[in-house]
Amino acid sequence: SSFIIMYFHECELYLNQQEKDLKVLEIIRNGIQSVIKSDIDYSNNLNSITINASKLSLVKEMDNSLGNFWQIISKEIQLFSKMIKKNSEIMSLEILQTLDSVISERKFLKREYKEDLERLVNKSKKVSTFFASIFFCFFIKTNFDPFFCKISF
């Protein structure tokens, strides 16, 4: 009896740990989503800066050396922007999808474990009820006196 109680207590602790693990994974997932969104926004802002700056009349009026310098910087910023966007897409496609599948699998396993535990609890209740009824029938039919611990027939 005490073994069964300890076992169910351990199962409850395990379920609580699974719930905490899922919460941590969700927090990590939300953090990665925020990083991806920020990176994409940053990339878009870098692109718009270079596009808007190239439209300015000052850039067109610069002498050749300064104008060439600005074109080089502008191209590098655009390349950097594309790299950031590509990395955020990779993070989204690979890391986030893998994390989503891990979370889904953990939720499925937790649900299965919980259902199995509930079946086990119900079976143990039936077994306990069965043994209680056997002992009760035995004590009634034998006139068992629990206070004096003797059986009279």
Side-chain angles (χ1 to χ4, degrees):
S1 172
S2 64
F3 172 74
I4 293 173
I5 292 170
M6 275 181 34
Y7 176 75
F8 289 133
H9 178 70
E10 292 294 324
C11 292
E12 193 174 299
L13 290 175
Y14 180 70
L15 282 172
N16 288 339
Q17 185 62 45
Q18 282 183 327
E19 188 64 36
K20 290 175 185 175
D21 291 348
L22 281 171
K23 285 180 183 177
V24 168
L25 288 173
E26 290 288 340
I27 289 169
I28 292 170
R29 182 182 184 283
N30 292 339
I32 291 173
Q33 280 180 324
S34 295
V35 168
I36 290 169
K37 184 185 180 311
S38 297
D39 284 355
I40 290 172
D41 289 345
Y42 181 59
S43 172
N44 291 337
N45 288 336
L46 285 175
N47 267 335
S48 66
I49 287 171
T50 57
I51 290 170
N52 290 335
S54 66
K55 291 178 183 176
L56 292 175
S57 62
L58 291 175
V59 174
K60 293 176 184 173
E61 295 174 3
M62 289 183 194
D63 63 8
N64 279 345
S65 61
L66 197 53
N68 289 338
F69 179 72
W70 171 249
Q71 286 178 347
I72 292 170
I73 288 178
S74 178
K75 284 180 185 178
E76 290 300 317
I77 290 174
Q78 287 174 349
L79 287 173
F80 183 66
S81 170
K82 287 177 185 177
M83 186 180 68
I84 291 172
K85 195 169 217 168
K86 183 179 178 184
N87 286 340
S88 62
E89 288 171 357
I90 290 170
M91 254 191 349
S92 178
L93 292 174
E94 294 178 8
I95 296 173
L96 206 54
Q97 285 182 352
T98 303
L99 189 57
D100 284 342
S101 67
V102 167
I103 289 172
S104 296
E105 183 181 343
R106 297 289 293 267
K107 284 181 179 179
F108 174 76
L109 291 174
K110 179 185 169 213
R111 187 172 43 250
E112 270 193 345
Y113 184 82
K114 197 172 185 176
E115 289 170 359
D116 289 345
L117 182 61
E118 287 172 1
R119 278 194 291 276
L120 188 60
V121 166
N122 289 335
K123 284 184 181 183
S124 71
K125 285 180 183 178
K126 288 179 184 177
V127 168
S128 296
T129 304
F130 174 74
F131 281 118
S133 64
I134 288 175
F135 287 128
F136 181 73
C137 290
F138 174 77
F139 294 148
I140 295 295
K141 289 185 178 181
T142 58
N143 295 327
F144 177 74
D145 188 351
F147 295 109
F148 299 104
C149 297
K150 58 184 175 181
I151 299 176
S152 58
F153 294 96

